[in-house]
Amino acid sequence: MTVSAEPRTAPVAKPDIATAPPSAPTRFVVPRKARKAVLTAVPLAALLVAWYLLTTNQVVFWLRFDKIPTPAQVFDSFRTQLGAATYYRDIFSSTRRILIGFGLATVSGVLIGMAVGRSAVVSALVRPVLEVFRPIPAIALVPLAILLFPTGEQGIVFITFFAAFFPVAVSTIHAMHALPKVWEEAAHTLGARRRDILFQIALPGALPGIFSGLSVAMGVAWICVISAEMISGQFGIGYFTWQSYGLLDYPGVIVGMLTIGLLGWFTAWLVELAGRRVNRWLPRAQR
C-alpha cells in the first residue's frame, strides 16, 4: 500500500517586531518663500515696535522722540490721504518723472557707455566730459534747470535724467572693459562681423554689469527727483512732504517719507526682476 506524502514547505520567517528600526520622525520643512518673507518682516516689525515705544513714552535722550508722531497718528494721516485725490496725483507725478528721466538715462547711458568702452577714439573724446560732469551733484543743477527750461516739469525730468545717467554710463563702460578678449577672438575666428560681435557677444556679456548700474541709478534718481520737487516742484510726493512740513503736519511728513520708500523699493524690485529675466543664462539667476 502506497502512502502519499504531502509536500513540505519551508517555514516562513516572521519579522522580529522588537528589533525593527523605528520610523524616522517627519520633519516640517518651511517653504523657501515663506522663510524669506519672515526674514523680511522681522526687521520691519522691530523698527515699528521701536518707533512705537520711543514715541509713545516720549523718550528724550540726545534724540528728541517727543516731537515725532506716533505710529497711530501716522496711520490716521495715511488713511486720510488714501481718500484724497491729490495724494494719488502726487504719486503719479513723481512716478512719471522717474520713468521718463530713468528711461532716457538708460538708453543714452547704455549707448554712450558701449561707444566709450568699445572705441578708443570715442573714449578720448567723450570720457573727459563724463569725468568733469560726473562729480557735480544733480541737485546743484536746480537753479540752472529753472533758468534753462521753460517749465519746472521739464527741469525736474532733466535733473532726474542727469542723476541716473552717470551710474548707467560708467557701469556700462566698466562692463565692456571686463569682457574676456577670448570671446571676440573666437567670434572673429568663426567669421562674425563687428556688428554681430557688438550686439550678440559684447552687449549680452555686459548686461549683468549694466543692470548693477541700473539698480544704483534708480535709487539716485529717486533721491534727486524728491529733492527737486521740494525745491521747485508744484506736484509730486516730494512737494507733498515739504508742504506738509510747512503746514506743521508732521504725520503727513512721515506719510510722505514712507511713500517715497515704498515707491523706491517697488521700482528697484522691478529693475532687479528685469535683470533676472534678461540674465537668466547666469547660474545664480536660474535658482
Side-chain angles (χ1 to χ4, degrees):
M1 184 176 63
T2 305
V3 179
S4 60
E6 295 182 358
R8 295 183 179 181
T9 57
V12 180
K14 296 182 180 181
D16 190 359
I17 301 177
T19 60
S23 59
T26 58
R27 297 179 59 185
F28 178 74
V29 179
V30 180
R32 183 177 180 181
K33 291 184 178 180
R35 184 169 63 251
K36 184 177 180 181
V38 171
L39 293 177
T40 302
V42 166
L44 296 177
L47 287 175
L48 182 61
V49 171
W51 177 17
Y52 171 79
L53 294 176
L54 292 172
T55 55
T56 303
N57 297 316
Q58 297 184 354
V59 176
V60 178
F61 183 73
W62 185 50
L63 297 178
R64 301 178 57 87
F65 290 98
D66 57 334
K67 305 296 182 182
I68 303 299
T70 62
Q73 294 173 336
V74 174
F75 178 78
D76 292 338
S77 178
F78 181 69
R79 186 172 54 183
T80 302
Q81 295 301 326
L82 289 179
T86 55
Y87 178 69
Y88 299 99
R89 180 196 63 187
D90 292 331
I91 292 178
F92 175 77
S93 298
S94 297
T95 306
R96 181 186 59 199
R97 292 161 179 167
I98 282 289
L99 293 179
I100 296 175
F102 182 78
L104 293 175
T106 299
V107 175
S108 58
V110 170
L111 292 178
I112 293 177
M114 290 177 61
V116 173
R118 299 287 300 176
S119 174
V121 176
V122 177
S123 178
L125 293 174
V126 179
R127 191 66 182 269
V129 179
L130 293 178
E131 295 302 328
V132 168
F133 284 96
R134 186 161 67 101
I136 300 176
I139 198 62
L141 299 179
V142 171
L144 180 63
I146 294 175
L147 298 176
L148 186 62
F149 292 93
T151 63
E153 181 71 18
Q154 297 174 356
I156 294 175
V157 171
F158 167 73
I159 292 171
T160 307
F161 158 77
F162 186 88
F165 170 78
F166 291 100
V168 178
V170 173
S171 64
T172 304
I173 293 173
H174 288 302
M176 287 293 169
H177 289 166
L179 292 175
K181 294 294 183 182
V182 67
W183 291 3
E184 295 186 32
E185 296 173 356
H188 278 300
T189 303
L190 296 175
R193 296 175 297 178
R194 186 174 182 179
R195 181 178 179 180
D196 297 332
I197 294 175
L198 180 61
F199 290 101
Q200 297 183 17
I201 296 178
L203 181 58
L207 281 177
I210 292 175
F211 269 94
S212 297
L214 291 176
S215 180
V216 175
M218 178 59 76
V220 176
W222 271 110
I223 294 174
C224 291
V225 74
I226 295 301
S227 301
E229 289 174 352
M230 289 182 175
I231 296 175
S232 63
Q234 296 180 348
F235 304 102
I237 198 65
Y239 175 77
F240 164 80
T241 304
W242 188 252
Q243 187 183 40
S244 298
Y245 173 75
L247 297 175
L248 303 180
D249 181 15
Y250 299 125
V253 174
I254 304 298
V255 170
M257 293 170 57
L258 294 177
T259 305
I260 295 167
L262 292 175
L263 290 174
W265 189 3
F266 178 69
T267 51
W269 175 79
L270 289 179
V271 173
E272 183 180 352
L273 178 63
R276 288 200 301 266
R277 295 291 178 86
V278 173
N279 300 313
R280 58 182 179 273
W281 54 272
L282 291 174
R284 184 177 294 271
Q286 295 176 0
R287 296 180 181 178

